[in-house]
Amino acid sequence: MGSYHAKLSPSSADRWTSCTASITAQEGMPNTNSDASRDGTCCHQILAECLENPDLDLQSYLGRVMSFWTHAESESSGEDWHDVLPDEHFDCTDETASVTVTQEMLDAVHSALGFVRQRVAHTGGTLLVEQRVPIGHFTGEEGAGGTSDVILMYGTTIEVMDAKFGRHKVQAYEVITPAHTDIVTNEAVPEVVRANLQMGCYALGAYEAHDMFYGFQDVVMTIIQPNIHHVSSYSCSVAELLKLRDFLQAKANETRDNPQYVATPDNCHFCRASGNCAAQTQAVIATTLDGFDDVDKATPRPVRENALGSLYAVIPMVTDWCKAVEARVREALLQGLPVVRNDGVAYHLVEGKMGARTWRDETEAETALKSMRLKQEQMYTRSLISPAAAEKLSKVKKVKKGETAPPPPLGATQWNRLQQHITQSKGQPAIALETDPRPAAALAAAGFDDVPDADNSDLF
């Protein structure tokens, strides 16, 4: 399953089109996977296999293990189902991680699977799954490609779909200019949007690969996020898509000919150079020191109008920078390398706080406690199950094809009766931009005629 990964990849298009220097800044730095990304890869593989073979039983994947391997000598990496990889394969790998398929993962795949199959049935289109599509014609990277989860072709329309199994909402489009009122003419200006750049890359690749046979006129880009029950689609003409190609091509050229550093929270968050980038460090220091007339005395200046919002916007970048620098220091010390301050005082590692105590073997510990004649209530703790756990008891369990599911411990009527015993507190208001589609929260201050301006000077 492993394959060559383009430097100017679709998944990082938002970053390399903004911070065009990020490509060279990351050279030589390993691209490590997180637990979340490995879970997503596993879900994508199950989705692809079930779309390609409708007779496969989705539940048969429960408990299967996917192994992720790396081999430094050959600079290769990949993943596959553990039960199909020969044992000798692992003898030549330097590192192996794994993911075990859970029911939660299968439920998410089931939802995405149903959506795609519904689209195929509705359009009657030709379905292509996990197709590698060319992107080098606009990135300038010879032989580069990206993998589109789903390509659906019908009439003069080509649709690309991308399943995302994370919980951060992603739209199939991005707002370039929010709707606003022109300060000169006082006229309403509508928002300006364009395709999500990652989806645009997939659409351009699919168009390049298949237009010769279809003569496409329209493009649809769809993002499916089953874990948060979210679907987002963006439609445009081929002409608009080709304008996006020109933009991507110009930015790709800039990464080689005139790379520019643009340190922002979004650009720096997943960049492998985070914490080791002069532009990011300069931006963080400039931000954290802004507001002080004298750095030694750290005397706060009055906060300018609207400055508080601008400072809040860079908190994610500052936080990421702090974490990245701490990780670099820890890694250096673990390798025995010196980490010294400007005044000559060095850092070293000391023993940290010990973890929580656990029984080496619960069965043996239980036997030992029983031999000490402890009472049941002294040995065990008991708590009522949560409403979420109770709801699971009202669901019919999924079983293999041909088997009959047993009735759930709680019937529908019983679960409905339990609703009157459940309460749920409201969440704390979350901070979001006014462009966020969620409605504004009702505030206690909304009922007052006059609310004095907030004094934010104590934050600086």
Side-chain angles (χ1 to χ4, degrees), residues 167-336:
R167 297 181 184 276
H168 173 68
K169 184 179 288 187
V170 182
Q171 303 290 359
Y173 60 90
E174 54 188 45
V175 178
I176 305 302
T177 305
H180 63 282
T181 301
D182 190 286
I183 59 174
V184 176
T185 64
N186 205 34
E187 293 181 354
V189 180
E191 69 176 5
V192 177
V193 299
R194 72 177 174 201
N196 173 299
L197 293 183
Q198 179 183 9
M199 298 302 294
C201 288
Y202 292 144
L204 283 166
Y207 173 79
E208 177 75 7
H210 302 287
D211 182 57
M212 181 185 299
F213 308 102
Y214 286 84
F216 297 117
Q217 297 177 14
D218 301 294
V219 184
V220 180
M221 289 158 270
T222 303
I223 290 176
I224 311 160
Q225 293 184 271
N227 279 319
I228 58 173
H229 310 291
H230 175 67
V231 173
S232 176
S233 285
Y234 179 74
S235 302
C236 69
S237 65
V238 166
E240 181 181 333
L241 182 68
L242 295 182
K243 286 183 180 179
L244 185 66
R245 178 197 61 189
D246 296 340
F247 166 78
L248 291 167
Q249 188 173 44
K251 287 298 182 179
N253 290 335
E254 188 177 306
T255 66
R256 294 178 287 269
D257 303 333
N258 185 30
Q260 301 293 315
Y261 283 98
V262 180
T264 67
D266 288 338
N267 288 344
C268 298
H269 184 62
F270 288 113
C271 182
R272 299 194 299 278
S274 180
N276 193 23
C277 172
Q280 181 195 27
T281 299
Q282 184 178 4
V284 168
I285 292 175
T287 300
T288 54
L289 295 183
D290 182 32
F292 295 99
D293 291 319
D294 188 327
V295 175
D296 294 327
K297 296 180 180 178
T299 303
R301 291 202 310 253
V303 182
R304 300 186 305 275
E305 185 180 2
N306 294 331
L308 181 58
S310 297
L311 291 174
Y312 182 80
V314 298
I315 285 179
M317 181 174 69
V318 176
T319 303
D320 286 343
W321 178 82
C322 293
K323 290 178 180 177
V325 171
E326 183 179 10
R328 285 184 61 204
V329 170
R330 183 177 298 277
E331 183 63 25
L333 293 175
L334 287 172
Q335 294 179 14

Side-chain angles (χ1 to χ4, degrees), residues 361-434:
D361 186 305
E362 284 197 5
T363 303
E364 291 182 0
E366 183 181 35
T367 301
L369 286 169
K370 285 180 178 178
S371 69
M372 298 172 187
R373 301 181 182 278
L374 289 178
K375 297 178 180 179
Q376 289 277 329
E377 58 270 21
Q378 294 173 319
M379 279 184 57
Y380 302 100
T381 58
R382 188 173 69 170
S383 60
L384 192 64
I385 61 174
S386 66
E391 184 177 17
K392 287 183 179 180
L393 296 178
S394 70
K395 304 288 186 182
V396 177
K397 288 188 176 181
K398 294 180 181 178
V399 295
K400 293 183 178 180
K401 201 171 183 179
E403 294 183 356
T404 302
L410 287 177
T413 302
Q414 293 171 310
W415 169 241
N416 288 335
R417 281 166 50 196
L418 277 175
Q419 304 299 309
Q420 61 183 312
H421 300 289
I422 297 175
T423 184
Q424 189 172 22
S425 61
K426 287 186 176 181
Q428 289 295 318
I431 301 173
L433 289 171
E434 63 179 350

Side-chain angles (χ1 to χ4, degrees), residues 138-156:
F138 59 86
T139 67
E141 191 176 0
E142 186 177 354
T147 302
S148 177
D149 291 349
V150 173
I151 299 174
L152 190 58
M153 299 175 289
Y154 44 93
T156 58

